[in-house]
Amino acid sequence: MYKLYLPAAIFLLTVTAEPAAAQEPWYKQGEFIPEKRIALTVTNGLDIPRMDVPVVIKREQLPVYDFHELDITLVDPSLESRGEPTLEELREYGNHMTHEEQNGRQIGYQLDDLTKDGIWDELFFTTDMEPGESKTIYLYIGFNNYGLFAHDTASGMGNYVRHMVPYWESEFVGWKLWYPTNVDVYAKRTPQLMANHMIQNNLDGYVVPRDMGNDIMFVENTLGGGGIVLFEHSDKPDSISRPRFTAPKKRAGSETRYNIGQLSDTRYSFDVIVNGPLRSMIKARTFNWFSGEGFYELEQTYTAYSRQSYSTVRAEYTQFNPVNRDTKLGAGIRKHPEEDLFHQEGNILFTGGSEEIVSPGDPDRLNVLPVDFTIHAIAVPSKYTPEFQYIEDFGENYTFRIETPENLTFEYLIGSAWSEGEAFETQEEFMGYMESSVRGYENPVKVDAGSLEHR
């Protein structure tokens, strides 16, 4: 059984003026014989191992960066080189698959254009690291037509049950915004991607083929698997404001629908920013949010990572006009409906328990799935000094409140698991994984980029 017990962290990059070690043999693959390279030295400063750690390198941090996706090849010299593919493999996969290598192994990557201006903004890849290890990854420059890498993550948009719904997923967990501000969660029995099937075939997440997995979050009027809130009343610390429960709805006498009208009520839009193979990102925009005590607009970017059971969320308020100057930001998740595990310490909390999973559209309980546990987590980085707050309203939720940052931006992590999957056998295993992941997220590993080296 595959165990996800190691933390992931976003790497930061610094550029050094020192050249790469010239004695390191140069990589070769088939007819690809590169003449230029940059050494990326990655250092794990923590005393724990890390698997599939996300590495983010911004374009301007490299000594040269005017190249296309096919003009770079990432190579880990510590990994075993691949041999020449067989004729049977070439017939099945085509000639673009990796050919015979020397002096290392090509690894997958993506150049992500986050601003959609036609120029890549971030180089992204993942790697494994031992405690305290420093390793070199080479970025070779030169056209290379070889290398097929299956997607480990995906994101997409679809007209799902007659309204637009965005999805993002890893092989273990998937997330979607059935409600535009609160996250639905579905879990996999075996590592696979399934959002495309759900979108294209409009599959009910509660009755998909059992080998795919199942929805494990009943959202309705709760915060679900994750959602932002505002604390607009300091004299009522357990009172929250939410984009889809607004002043227009109260005037209309309805708090269940999430959009009375796109001009008179809060409205939303969604974009696919990145679609794999190693990370996938959705941007959700909230407009025209009038809470009755302020007017707000914001953008949230949701990211799934290869072989991880958590998603990161970046929330940035583009309009922030509260009536009360002491209004604070926050985020939270739903309390487990059959909670037998609750743990909150510092900036992370867990809620879990056994559950009989049934679709909210199945009042006769025709499809009931009993499971030993489902468990959900939320964490807000310590730098925001999050303060835990239980919320009884909206079906019982757990939240963290933070002081409003000057840039009106903060991040948080959400994660989920269930007993039917391959990643975790117990709730405690998942808790250890999330705690390590949050620690890794808060302690970026150092990456040094050498100067451009010629053969």
Side-chain angles (χ1 to χ4, degrees), residues 176-242:
K176 68 178 183 288
L177 292 174
W178 166 276
Y179 295 101
T181 59
N182 299 103
V183 175
D184 254 312
V185 185
Y186 57 95
K188 324 292 182 64
R189 277 194 165 77
T190 58
Q192 61 181 298
L193 301 181
M194 57 183 280
N196 60 320
H197 301 291
M198 297 184 71
I199 293 173
Q200 293 168 7
N201 300 308
N202 260 226
L203 299 177
D204 187 329
Y206 289 93
V207 293
V208 294
R210 287 301 187 216
D211 62 336
M212 280 188 170
N214 211 94
D215 268 21
I216 60 170
M217 173 58 65
F218 180 60
V219 179
E220 203 178 39
N221 69 333
T222 72
L223 291 175
I228 56 97
V229 299
L230 288 176
F231 296 89
E232 295 186 296
H233 304 281
S234 59
D235 58 337
K236 299 176 183 178
D238 59 349
S239 171
I240 56 175
S241 299
R242 302 172 60 194

Side-chain angles (χ1 to χ4, degrees), residues 7 18 39 46 60 81 83-84 94 99 105 129-130 132 152 178 199 226 239 246 271 311 367 375 390 436 447 449:
E18 298 179 1
L46 294 180
E60 61 272 15
S81 300
E84 186 67 14
H99 286 248
R105 187 181 185 92
M129 301 201 71
E130 296 297 325
D152 294 334
W178 166 276
I199 293 173
S239 171
T246 62
D271 288 301
S311 168
N367 290 284
I375 184 169
Y390 165 71
S436 295
V447 182

Side-chain angles (χ1 to χ4, degrees), residues 21-35:
Q23 67 272 19
E24 186 72 40
W26 283 66
Y27 176 79
K28 176 183 177 181
Q29 181 188 162
E31 297 178 357
F32 174 58
I33 306 175
E35 299 291 333

Side-chain angles (χ1 to χ4, degrees), residues 29-69:
Q29 181 188 162
E31 297 178 357
F32 174 58
I33 306 175
E35 299 291 333
K36 302 175 183 178
R37 70 182 182 183
I38 301 169
L40 306 175
T41 304
V42 183
T43 303
N44 177 11
L46 294 180
D47 58 355
I48 52 178
R50 304 184 179 190
M51 291 181 63
D52 301 295
V53 186
V55 182
V56 175
I57 301 173
K58 295 187 181 299
R59 182 182 69 244
E60 61 272 15
Q61 294 174 304
L62 291 176
V64 294
Y65 47 76
D66 186 12
F67 44 68
H68 184 269
E69 290 103 324

Side-chain angles (χ1 to χ4, degrees), residues 63-234:
V64 294
Y65 47 76
D66 186 12
F67 44 68
H68 184 269
E69 290 103 324
L70 295 178
D71 288 333
I72 69 169
T73 301
L74 283 188
V75 175
D76 187 336
S78 69
L79 299 180
E80 182 179 358
S81 300
R82 297 177 180 87
E84 186 67 14
T86 65
L87 289 177
E88 290 75 15
E89 290 173 328
L90 289 171
R91 289 192 183 100
E92 182 175 359
Y93 298 105
N95 193 51
H96 289 296
M97 66 183 304
T98 304
H99 286 248
E100 183 178 11
E101 300 176 298
Q102 296 179 20
N103 302 321
R105 187 181 185 92
Q106 180 180 4
I107 61 175
Y109 66 89
Q110 54 198 79
L111 288 181
D112 293 331
D113 177 11
L114 304 180
T115 58
K116 300 304 179 187
D117 61 357
I119 303 172
W120 70 273
D121 299 294
E122 293 181 352
L123 166 65
F124 183 89
F125 64 95
T126 65
T127 190
D128 297 341
M129 301 201 71
E130 296 297 325
E133 179 187 9
S134 288
K135 66 187 301 184
T136 299
I137 303 292
Y138 280 104
L139 188 159
Y140 286 91
I141 301 175
F143 180 75
N144 177 11
N145 207 26
Y146 303 133
L148 294 174
F149 296 94
H151 278 223
D152 294 334
T153 69
S155 59
M157 286 286 302
N159 191 302
Y160 185 76
V161 194
R162 299 179 296 108
H163 71 301
M164 296 305 295
V165 174
Y167 292 73
W168 65 103
E169 64 175 332
S170 71
E171 313 98 305
F172 299 102
V173 183
W175 299 270
K176 68 178 183 288
L177 292 174
W178 166 276
Y179 295 101
T181 59
N182 299 103
V183 175
D184 254 312
V185 185
Y186 57 95
K188 324 292 182 64
R189 277 194 165 77
T190 58
Q192 61 181 298
L193 301 181
M194 57 183 280
N196 60 320
H197 301 291
M198 297 184 71
I199 293 173
Q200 293 168 7
N201 300 308
N202 260 226
L203 299 177
D204 187 329
Y206 289 93
V207 293
V208 294
R210 287 301 187 216
D211 62 336
M212 280 188 170
N214 211 94
D215 268 21
I216 60 170
M217 173 58 65
F218 180 60
V219 179
E220 203 178 39
N221 69 333
T222 72
L223 291 175
I228 56 97
V229 299
L230 288 176
F231 296 89
E232 295 186 296
H233 304 281
S234 59

